[in-house]
Each structure stands twice: as C-alpha cells, then as structure tokens.
C-alpha cells in the first residue's frame, strides 16, 4: 500500500506534466461564428404561417381567394413560390402586389393544377405582405363535396392550401328516352323546350352512345353515367344523328 506522502508526490508530478503538455500543445480554435447566409437560410426554412381563410367553393361556381399572411422574414432574392391546387380545383389567378421594389413572374399551368411565381428584388426584403391564390372548384367534384388540400411552398417552406367544396344537387337532362335496338344506345324521344338539353342541341331521334366517354348502350348505363354528377356541370354527350357522330356539350339540369 502506497503511503500518503508518496501519493502526494505522484499527484504533484502528474499535475506538472499536464501543465507542460498544455504549454506545448497547439491551441484549439474556438467555434467560428455561423455565416450570415446560413442564418438567413435557417430563418427562411422556418414554418410559414397557415392560410388565413378556408373558402367554401361551389361546384360549379366562382373562384375564391386563399390568403397566406406574410411571415416578416427578411430574405435574399430571387425566391420561388410553388403552388399545387387541391384535388377537384384549379388555380385561376395569383393576385399579389409586387409594386414595392420587387418583380413577380407568374406561370399557371394550362390545366390550373399548379403554378410558379418567381420574385426578384435588388436587395433583401421583408416578406410582410399577404400572398393570394385564387382557386375554383371543378364541375367533376364529388356530389357529396368535402375538404381537399394542396400545397403552398414559399422559399422551400411548405404549408397546406385547403378548401371546402360544398355538397351539390344531382344533375340530369330533361329528356324522354328509350333503348335503341340491340343495345345501340339511348334514343331521345322528347326534349323539354328551353331546357339545357335543347340549348345543347339535342333533338328527338338522336341516339346517345356515350356520356363523357363512358358508353351508354342502354337506359341503365345512361343513368349510371350521370350518377353522382352535379347539376350545373357541363358534360360531353356523344350522339349519332343521320349517320353522323356529334359531340354536344350539355349543362346538366337539376
């Protein structure tokens, strides 16, 4: 067993060696400050505020505007905004204010399902103004309606873009019909005057062979093709008339 003085001498020697090592060892640099661009990127990547309103869209019906508030983050430009429309809707416009020292290039896809906005500015700017997206429900929205979401991405940060589609009224055409011979389609026997069917150009004697591309060889398939379609929706009807094939766009009655 080591006596007490020996232990003290051993501890003193160890302390001296540690001090000598500290004198000859290279200095360890302190952590460098986070670069400014990294701080800016981290701020831009934080969560965006959610949309201010969830519109109730009729189908068919007018477009309504979804408003995304500014997040008051100062960003370097240019930046991109990417938008994906909710199911059964289309983007009809992006009414944003780019008059405060910025320029906006807006591109909406032909089908309205997506859009891109590129915002440029000569200096960093604070994102304080709201961002507006106009969306419209499509005629083919489910009869029961429901809530649907797309996405709104602003400078790599994404939040949902949500709408409610209201329930609809079942649609039909005010016609008298019967089966054609041999499952050859549905014969139009009578068209109610001033109805949407008459406006579309349907006539007695026409044979309806398809609705929106879905074959209608008989009355049952005719009503199945109209099932769950909304009044007010415009639907293509394929018609045989005097040996010609016609496509008529008919807006469904309620």
């Amino acid at each position: 067993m080591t006596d007490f003085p020996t232990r003290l001498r051993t501890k003193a020697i160890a302390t001296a060696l540690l001090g000598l090592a500290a004198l000859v060892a290279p200095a360890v640099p302190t952590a460098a400050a986070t670069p400014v661009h990294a701080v800016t990127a981290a701020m831009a990547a934080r969560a965006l505020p959610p949309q201010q309103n969830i519109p109730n869209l009729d189908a068919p019906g007018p477009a309504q505007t979804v408003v995304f508030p500014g997040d008051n983050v100062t960003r370097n430009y240019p930046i991109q905004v990417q938008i994906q429309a909710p199911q059964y809707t289309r983007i009809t416009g992006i009414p944003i204010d780019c008059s405060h020292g910025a320029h906006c290039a807006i591109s909406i896809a032909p089908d309205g399902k997506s859009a891109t906005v590129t915002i440029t500015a000569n200096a960093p700017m604070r994102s304080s103004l709201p961002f507006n997206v106009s969306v419209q429900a499509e005629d083919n929205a489910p009869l029961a309606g429901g809530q649907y979401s797309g996405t709104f991405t602003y400078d790599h940060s994404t939040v949902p873009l949500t709408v409610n589609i209201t329930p609809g009224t079942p649609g039909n055409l005010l016609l008298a019909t019967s089966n054609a011979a041999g499952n050859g389609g549905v014969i139009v026997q009578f068209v109610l005057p001033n109805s949407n069917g008459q406006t579309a150009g349907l006539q007695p004697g026409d044979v309806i062979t398809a609705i929106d591309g879905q074959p209608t060889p008989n009355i049952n398939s005719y009503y199945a093709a109209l099932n769950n379609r909304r009044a007010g929706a415009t639907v293509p009807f394929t018609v045989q008339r005097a040996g010609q094939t016609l496509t008529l766009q008919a807006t469904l009655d309620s």
Side-chain angles (χ1 to χ4, degrees):
M1 182 174 180
T2 307
D3 60 7
F4 185 70
T6 302
R7 289 202 305 269
L8 288 179
R9 287 195 300 271
T10 302
K11 183 176 180 181
I13 292 170
T15 302
L17 290 173
L18 287 173
L20 180 61
L23 289 174
V24 299
V28 178
T30 57
T34 305
V36 173
H37 65 82
V39 173
T40 304
M43 292 177 66
R46 73 181 184 180
L48 294 170
Q51 65 190 75
Q52 286 183 348
N53 61 314
I54 298 179
N56 295 315
L57 303 178
D58 295 327
Q64 295 193 46
T65 299
V66 179
V67 180
F68 292 90
D71 61 1
N72 290 311
V73 172
T74 298
R75 291 177 168 85
N76 292 314
Y77 287 78
I79 64 171
Q80 268 201 347
V81 182
Q82 295 177 318
I83 307 162
Q84 294 292 326
Q87 190 177 13
Y88 304 116
T89 72
R90 62 190 306 271
I91 300 165
T92 60
I94 302 177
I96 59 176
D97 184 0
C98 271
S99 61
H100 296 77
H103 174 73
C104 298
I106 299 173
S107 174
I108 301 175
D111 62 1
K113 293 301 182 182
S114 62
T116 301
V117 181
T118 302
I119 305 174
T120 57
N122 293 327
M125 294 182 63
R126 183 179 296 275
S127 303
S128 58
L129 296 177
F131 196 104
N132 304 316
V133 183
S134 295
V135 291
Q136 183 178 29
E138 297 179 324
D139 291 357
N140 66 342
L143 190 61
Q147 187 170 95
Y148 300 91
S149 292
T151 57
F152 174 80
T153 301
Y154 190 97
D155 194 25
H156 307 294
S157 297
T158 300
V159 292
L161 190 165
T162 302
V163 300
N164 292 323
I165 298 180
T166 59
T169 302
N172 205 336
L173 285 181
L174 303 180
L175 309 173
T177 56
S178 63
N179 287 324
N183 281 334
V186 174
I187 301 175
V188 177
Q189 301 287 354
F190 172 79
V191 183
L192 187 71
N194 300 317
S195 67
N196 287 336
Q198 186 182 63
T199 301
L202 285 166
Q203 301 175 6
D206 287 345
V207 178
I208 300 171
T209 58
I211 297 175
D212 198 14
Q214 182 174 339
T216 56
N218 51 49
I219 290 289
N220 289 338
S221 58
Y222 171 86
Y223 284 112
L226 291 175
N227 190 37
N228 288 325
R229 294 185 183 270
R230 292 171 170 252
T234 300
V235 182
F237 281 68
T238 303
V239 172
Q240 297 294 325
R241 179 188 298 169
Q244 292 185 327
T245 300
L246 306 175
T247 300
L248 305 178
Q249 301 292 329
T251 299
L252 300 183
D253 298 291
S254 55

